[in-house]
Amino acid sequence: MKARPPPAIRHSNLYFNDKFIVLQVEDTLFRVKTAVLSEHSEVFADMFSIPKPSSSAGEGDDDENPIWIEGESADRFAQALSWMITTDHSSIKKSRDEWKELFLFSRKWIIPTLESAALNALQLDFEWQQFEKVLFAYKHNIPMTFATSDFRAMLCNTNPLTLQDARALPLQVFVIVTQIREIAAMYSCRGGTHPYKRTYPDCDCFPAMETVRKWITNLGSEDHGPTRSEAIAAAQNIVGI
């Protein structure tokens, strides 16, 4: 009699789940490996971990029984999925608007690797209009290290904000930026060199800039913003005084 193998357990890393699943996004069907989505997104991982009732054809098993992904764009889903199954991400070329959509997708479905790639491309590969990069970071609660030079330029410019600036900026951003600019101008008037004409290789301004971002974010709540001394301290660090 042929010997039977001993009891076995699944290898923790090398037992692959290559099951395919059918998803419908808008009017388009996608048949993908569950492992691909689960590896990148904890939302999809949780979705696929829910036990399905035993039947001849369960949800997601074929084209007649797809899992319907509501509230998502088929084009954006296709771009995100293509990114997830591509091994050479350096070969991926996209427009700024496409990277913005992939960033929003990554936030919605909790895909940290895609979020990091999108932010890296948005930060390094494209030119932004005045305030645009800072406002994008503000709107999506991205640390201001994403827009360091833009944020510093916004805060350190000693010129008063204009009416056009006021229309472009949310009120709480306008208030904080005005306050910091006034302080930067005050130090400039005392004989300091204009911030744009100086470089600060040893200036660790990130903590101060992140503090200002938090002031801006919280100004609409019970937090009424910085005291005068706090604003002066932040301005000194950011301007390099």
Side-chain angles (χ1 to χ4, degrees), residues 14 19 27 30 38-39 41 54 58-59 70 101 107-108 117 124 155 167 182 197 207 234:
L14 299 175
K19 178 182 178 183
D27 59 354
F30 297 86
S38 297
E39 177 185 350
S41 166
S54 57
E59 189 179 25
E70 297 184 75
E101 286 300 314
R107 279 286 179 91
K108 178 178 180 180
L124 302 177
L155 296 174
R167 290 170 176 160
E182 287 176 351
K197 297 180 181 179

PDB file of all heavy atoms in Angstrom, residues 14 19 27 30 38-39 41 54 58-59 70 101 107-108 117 124 155 167 182 197 207 234:
ATOM      1  N   LEU A  14       4.218  31.402   0.734  1.00  0.00           N
ATOM      2  CA  LEU A  14       4.318  30.815  -0.594  1.00  0.00           C
ATOM      3  C   LEU A  14       3.158  29.883  -0.942  1.00  0.00           C
ATOM      4  O   LEU A  14       3.303  28.974  -1.754  1.00  0.00           O
ATOM      5  CB  LEU A  14       5.652  30.062  -0.728  1.00  0.00           C
ATOM      6  CG  LEU A  14       6.893  30.945  -0.557  1.00  0.00           C
ATOM      7  CD1 LEU A  14       8.159  30.093  -0.595  1.00  0.00           C
ATOM      8  CD2 LEU A  14       6.948  32.007  -1.652  1.00  0.00           C
ATOM      9  N   LYS A  19      -7.313  32.735  -6.947  1.00  0.00           N
ATOM     10  CA  LYS A  19      -8.711  32.720  -7.347  1.00  0.00           C
ATOM     11  C   LYS A  19      -9.052  34.000  -8.107  1.00  0.00           C
ATOM     12  O   LYS A  19      -8.642  35.096  -7.728  1.00  0.00           O
ATOM     13  CB  LYS A  19      -9.606  32.605  -6.118  1.00  0.00           C
ATOM     14  CG  LYS A  19     -11.089  32.622  -6.454  1.00  0.00           C
ATOM     15  CD  LYS A  19     -11.946  32.546  -5.202  1.00  0.00           C
ATOM     16  CE  LYS A  19     -13.429  32.611  -5.586  1.00  0.00           C
ATOM     17  NZ  LYS A  19     -14.291  32.602  -4.387  1.00  0.00           N
ATOM     18  N   ASP A  27     -20.572  50.078 -16.408  1.00  0.00           N
ATOM     19  CA  ASP A  27     -21.066  49.053 -17.345  1.00  0.00           C
ATOM     20  C   ASP A  27     -19.934  48.145 -17.836  1.00  0.00           C
ATOM     21  O   ASP A  27     -20.048  47.521 -18.893  1.00  0.00           O
ATOM     22  CB  ASP A  27     -21.762  49.716 -18.541  1.00  0.00           C
ATOM     23  CG  ASP A  27     -20.840  50.657 -19.316  1.00  0.00           C
ATOM     24  OD1 ASP A  27     -19.694  50.879 -18.858  1.00  0.00           O
ATOM     25  OD2 ASP A  27     -21.268  51.176 -20.369  1.00  0.00           O
ATOM     26  N   PHE A  30     -14.699  43.381 -14.955  1.00  0.00           N
ATOM     27  CA  PHE A  30     -13.275  43.105 -14.755  1.00  0.00           C
ATOM     28  C   PHE A  30     -13.151  41.726 -14.102  1.00  0.00           C
ATOM     29  O   PHE A  30     -13.857  41.432 -13.133  1.00  0.00           O
ATOM     30  CB  PHE A  30     -12.637  44.148 -13.828  1.00  0.00           C
ATOM     31  CG  PHE A  30     -12.666  45.556 -14.371  1.00  0.00           C
ATOM     32  CD1 PHE A  30     -13.786  46.365 -14.169  1.00  0.00           C
ATOM     33  CD2 PHE A  30     -11.584  46.064 -15.062  1.00  0.00           C
ATOM     34  CE1 PHE A  30     -13.811  47.667 -14.644  1.00  0.00           C
ATOM     35  CE2 PHE A  30     -11.609  47.364 -15.547  1.00  0.00           C
ATOM     36  CZ  PHE A  30     -12.721  48.168 -15.343  1.00  0.00           C
ATOM     37  N   SER A  38      -6.319  42.289  -2.897  1.00  0.00           N
ATOM     38  CA  SER A  38      -6.170  42.121  -1.447  1.00  0.00           C
ATOM     39  C   SER A  38      -4.790  42.543  -0.967  1.00  0.00           C
ATOM     40  O   SER A  38      -4.638  43.083   0.130  1.00  0.00           O
ATOM     41  CB  SER A  38      -6.425  40.663  -1.054  1.00  0.00           C
ATOM     42  OG  SER A  38      -7.741  40.278  -1.360  1.00  0.00           O
ATOM     43  N   GLU A  39      -3.774  42.297  -1.792  1.00  0.00           N
ATOM     44  CA  GLU A  39      -2.406  42.644  -1.408  1.00  0.00           C
ATOM     45  C   GLU A  39      -2.236  44.153  -1.256  1.00  0.00           C
ATOM     46  O   GLU A  39      -1.503  44.620  -0.382  1.00  0.00           O
ATOM     47  CB  GLU A  39      -1.431  42.115  -2.456  1.00  0.00           C
ATOM     48  CG  GLU A  39       0.022  42.495  -2.185  1.00  0.00           C
ATOM     49  CD  GLU A  39       0.955  42.061  -3.313  1.00  0.00           C
ATOM     50  OE1 GLU A  39       0.499  41.313  -4.208  1.00  0.00           O
ATOM     51  OE2 GLU A  39       2.116  42.474  -3.297  1.00  0.00           O
ATOM     52  N   SER A  41      -4.959  46.572  -1.112  1.00  0.00           N
ATOM     53  CA  SER A  41      -6.040  47.308  -0.458  1.00  0.00           C
ATOM     54  C   SER A  41      -6.664  46.505   0.672  1.00  0.00           C
ATOM     55  O   SER A  41      -7.184  45.413   0.449  1.00  0.00           O
ATOM     56  CB  SER A  41      -7.123  47.667  -1.486  1.00  0.00           C
ATOM     57  OG  SER A  41      -8.307  48.096  -0.858  1.00  0.00           O
ATOM     58  N   SER A  54     -22.722  28.881   0.206  1.00  0.00           N
ATOM     59  CA  SER A  54     -22.417  27.837  -0.778  1.00  0.00           C
ATOM     60  C   SER A  54     -23.543  27.746  -1.800  1.00  0.00           C
ATOM     61  O   SER A  54     -24.714  27.654  -1.466  1.00  0.00           O
ATOM     62  CB  SER A  54     -22.254  26.486  -0.072  1.00  0.00           C
ATOM     63  OG  SER A  54     -23.423  26.177   0.669  1.00  0.00           O
ATOM     64  N   GLY A  58     -21.684  31.776  -6.935  1.00  0.00           N
ATOM     65  CA  GLY A  58     -21.801  32.841  -5.964  1.00  0.00           C
ATOM     66  C   GLY A  58     -21.466  34.190  -6.574  1.00  0.00           C
ATOM     67  O   GLY A  58     -21.042  34.294  -7.735  1.00  0.00           O
ATOM     68  N   GLU A  59     -21.653  35.251  -5.796  1.00  0.00           N
ATOM     69  CA  GLU A  59     -21.368  36.600  -6.264  1.00  0.00           C
ATOM     70  C   GLU A  59     -19.894  36.734  -6.615  1.00  0.00           C
ATOM     71  O   GLU A  59     -19.015  36.410  -5.824  1.00  0.00           O
ATOM     72  CB  GLU A  59     -21.749  37.618  -5.181  1.00  0.00           C
ATOM     73  CG  GLU A  59     -21.692  39.059  -5.663  1.00  0.00           C
ATOM     74  CD  GLU A  59     -22.101  40.045  -4.572  1.00  0.00           C
ATOM     75  OE1 GLU A  59     -21.968  39.692  -3.380  1.00  0.00           O
ATOM     76  OE2 GLU A  59     -22.540  41.143  -4.907  1.00  0.00           O
ATOM     77  N   GLU A  70     -20.181  50.041  -6.602  1.00  0.00           N
ATOM     78  CA  GLU A  70     -20.964  51.264  -6.819  1.00  0.00           C
ATOM     79  C   GLU A  70     -20.118  52.511  -6.562  1.00  0.00           C
ATOM     80  O   GLU A  70     -19.160  52.488  -5.793  1.00  0.00           O
ATOM     81  CB  GLU A  70     -22.183  51.282  -5.900  1.00  0.00           C
ATOM     82  CG  GLU A  70     -23.175  50.165  -6.140  1.00  0.00           C
ATOM     83  CD  GLU A  70     -24.397  50.299  -5.255  1.00  0.00           C
ATOM     84  OE1 GLU A  70     -25.233  51.178  -5.541  1.00  0.00           O
ATOM     85  OE2 GLU A  70     -24.509  49.542  -4.273  1.00  0.00           O
ATOM     86  N   GLU A 101      -6.553  61.598  -9.901  1.00  0.00           N
ATOM     87  CA  GLU A 101      -7.631  60.609  -9.776  1.00  0.00           C
ATOM     88  C   GLU A 101      -7.132  59.336  -9.099  1.00  0.00           C
ATOM     89  O   GLU A 101      -7.841  58.743  -8.275  1.00  0.00           O
ATOM     90  CB  GLU A 101      -8.197  60.281 -11.164  1.00  0.00           C
ATOM     91  CG  GLU A 101      -9.063  61.383 -11.751  1.00  0.00           C
ATOM     92  CD  GLU A 101     -10.266  61.689 -10.881  1.00  0.00           C
ATOM     93  OE1 GLU A 101     -10.947  60.735 -10.421  1.00  0.00           O
ATOM     94  OE2 GLU A 101     -10.526  62.879 -10.630  1.00  0.00           O
ATOM     95  N   ARG A 107      -6.993  56.837  -1.737  1.00  0.00           N
ATOM     96  CA  ARG A 107      -7.545  57.252  -0.449  1.00  0.00           C
ATOM     97  C   ARG A 107      -8.880  56.545  -0.182  1.00  0.00           C
ATOM     98  O   ARG A 107      -9.161  56.129   0.944  1.00  0.00           O
ATOM     99  CB  ARG A 107      -7.749  58.774  -0.442  1.00  0.00           C
ATOM    100  CG  ARG A 107      -6.486  59.583  -0.164  1.00  0.00           C
ATOM    101  CD  ARG A 107      -6.105  59.499   1.303  1.00  0.00           C
ATOM    102  NE  ARG A 107      -4.901  60.226   1.640  1.00  0.00           N
ATOM    103  CZ  ARG A 107      -4.888  61.502   2.040  1.00  0.00           C
ATOM    104  NH1 ARG A 107      -6.019  62.201   2.107  1.00  0.00           N
ATOM    105  NH2 ARG A 107      -3.746  62.082   2.372  1.00  0.00           N
ATOM    106  N   LYS A 108      -9.681  56.422  -1.214  1.00  0.00           N
ATOM    107  CA  LYS A 108     -11.009  55.814  -1.059  1.00  0.00           C
ATOM    108  C   LYS A 108     -10.906  54.340  -0.701  1.00  0.00           C
ATOM    109  O   LYS A 108     -11.636  53.845   0.171  1.00  0.00           O
ATOM    110  CB  LYS A 108     -11.803  55.982  -2.359  1.00  0.00           C
ATOM    111  CG  LYS A 108     -13.186  55.349  -2.337  1.00  0.00           C
ATOM    112  CD  LYS A 108     -13.911  55.599  -3.649  1.00  0.00           C
ATOM    113  CE  LYS A 108     -15.301  54.981  -3.651  1.00  0.00           C
ATOM    114  NZ  LYS A 108     -16.010  55.227  -4.948  1.00  0.00           N
ATOM    115  N   ALA A 117       2.875  56.592  -4.588  1.00  0.00           N
ATOM    116  CA  ALA A 117       3.334  56.772  -5.970  1.00  0.00           C
ATOM    117  C   ALA A 117       2.681  57.993  -6.604  1.00  0.00           C
ATOM    118  O   ALA A 117       3.336  58.771  -7.315  1.00  0.00           O
ATOM    119  CB  ALA A 117       3.011  55.522  -6.784  1.00  0.00           C
ATOM    120  N   LEU A 124       6.782  65.870  -7.958  1.00  0.00           N
ATOM    121  CA  LEU A 124       8.041  66.052  -8.674  1.00  0.00           C
ATOM    122  C   LEU A 124       7.914  66.271 -10.172  1.00  0.00           C
ATOM    123  O   LEU A 124       8.801  66.867 -10.787  1.00  0.00           O
ATOM    124  CB  LEU A 124       8.940  64.824  -8.431  1.00  0.00           C
ATOM    125  CG  LEU A 124       9.282  64.507  -6.971  1.00  0.00           C
ATOM    126  CD1 LEU A 124      10.105  63.232  -6.896  1.00  0.00           C
ATOM    127  CD2 LEU A 124      10.022  65.669  -6.313  1.00  0.00           C
ATOM    128  N   LEU A 155       3.915  81.767   2.360  1.00  0.00           N
ATOM    129  CA  LEU A 155       3.991  82.364   3.689  1.00  0.00           C
ATOM    130  C   LEU A 155       5.025  83.474   3.779  1.00  0.00           C
ATOM    131  O   LEU A 155       4.831  84.448   4.508  1.00  0.00           O
ATOM    132  CB  LEU A 155       4.305  81.287   4.725  1.00  0.00           C
ATOM    133  CG  LEU A 155       3.259  80.187   4.914  1.00  0.00           C
ATOM    134  CD1 LEU A 155       3.781  79.126   5.869  1.00  0.00           C
ATOM    135  CD2 LEU A 155       1.937  80.741   5.411  1.00  0.00           C
ATOM    136  N   ARG A 167     -10.054  85.535  -3.184  1.00  0.00           N
ATOM    137  CA  ARG A 167     -11.072  84.730  -3.876  1.00  0.00           C
ATOM    138  C   ARG A 167     -10.595  83.300  -4.100  1.00  0.00           C
ATOM    139  O   ARG A 167     -11.406  82.373  -4.148  1.00  0.00           O
ATOM    140  CB  ARG A 167     -11.411  85.381  -5.216  1.00  0.00           C
ATOM    141  CG  ARG A 167     -12.196  86.700  -5.083  1.00  0.00           C
ATOM    142  CD  ARG A 167     -12.294  87.411  -6.412  1.00  0.00           C
ATOM    143  NE  ARG A 167     -13.111  88.625  -6.313  1.00  0.00           N
ATOM    144  CZ  ARG A 167     -13.057  89.622  -7.200  1.00  0.00           C
ATOM    145  NH1 ARG A 167     -12.242  89.543  -8.244  1.00  0.00           N
ATOM    146  NH2 ARG A 167     -13.825  90.691  -7.041  1.00  0.00           N
ATOM    147  N   GLU A 182       2.483  89.160   7.415  1.00  0.00           N
ATOM    148  CA  GLU A 182       2.692  90.406   8.141  1.00  0.00           C
ATOM    149  C   GLU A 182       3.942  90.322   9.005  1.00  0.00           C
ATOM    150  O   GLU A 182       4.724  91.268   9.104  1.00  0.00           O
ATOM    151  CB  GLU A 182       1.472  90.723   9.012  1.00  0.00           C
ATOM    152  CG  GLU A 182       0.261  91.188   8.223  1.00  0.00           C
ATOM    153  CD  GLU A 182      -0.956  91.387   9.117  1.00  0.00           C
ATOM    154  OE1 GLU A 182      -0.880  91.005  10.304  1.00  0.00           O
ATOM    155  OE2 GLU A 182      -1.967  91.917   8.626  1.00  0.00           O
ATOM    156  N   LYS A 197      15.476  86.065  -1.520  1.00  0.00           N
ATOM    157  CA  LYS A 197      16.868  86.235  -1.915  1.00  0.00           C
ATOM    158  C   LYS A 197      17.825  85.483  -0.993  1.00  0.00           C
ATOM    159  O   LYS A 197      19.013  85.682  -1.029  1.00  0.00           O
ATOM    160  CB  LYS A 197      17.220  87.723  -1.921  1.00  0.00           C
ATOM    161  CG  LYS A 197      16.413  88.516  -2.955  1.00  0.00           C
ATOM    162  CD  LYS A 197      16.775  89.992  -2.943  1.00  0.00           C
ATOM    163  CE  LYS A 197      15.934  90.760  -3.963  1.00  0.00           C
ATOM    164  NZ  LYS A 197      16.245  92.213  -3.946  1.00  0.00           N
ATOM    165  N   PRO A 207       8.834  71.229  10.694  1.00  0.00           N
ATOM    166  CA  PRO A 207       7.913  71.206  11.849  1.00  0.00           C
ATOM    167  C   PRO A 207       7.062  72.461  11.949  1.00  0.00           C
ATOM    168  O   PRO A 207       5.862  72.384  12.233  1.00  0.00           O
ATOM    169  CB  PRO A 207       8.874  71.064  13.046  1.00  0.00           C
ATOM    170  CG  PRO A 207      10.095  70.425  12.488  1.00  0.00           C
ATOM    171  CD  PRO A 207      10.231  70.997  11.112  1.00  0.00           C
ATOM    172  N   ALA A 234       6.644  80.586  14.553  1.00  0.00           N
ATOM    173  CA  ALA A 234       6.543  79.804  13.313  1.00  0.00           C
ATOM    174  C   ALA A 234       7.153  80.574  12.141  1.00  0.00           C
ATOM    175  O   ALA A 234       7.881  80.014  11.316  1.00  0.00           O
ATOM    176  CB  ALA A 234       5.085  79.461  13.033  1.00  0.00           C
TER     177      ALA A 234
END
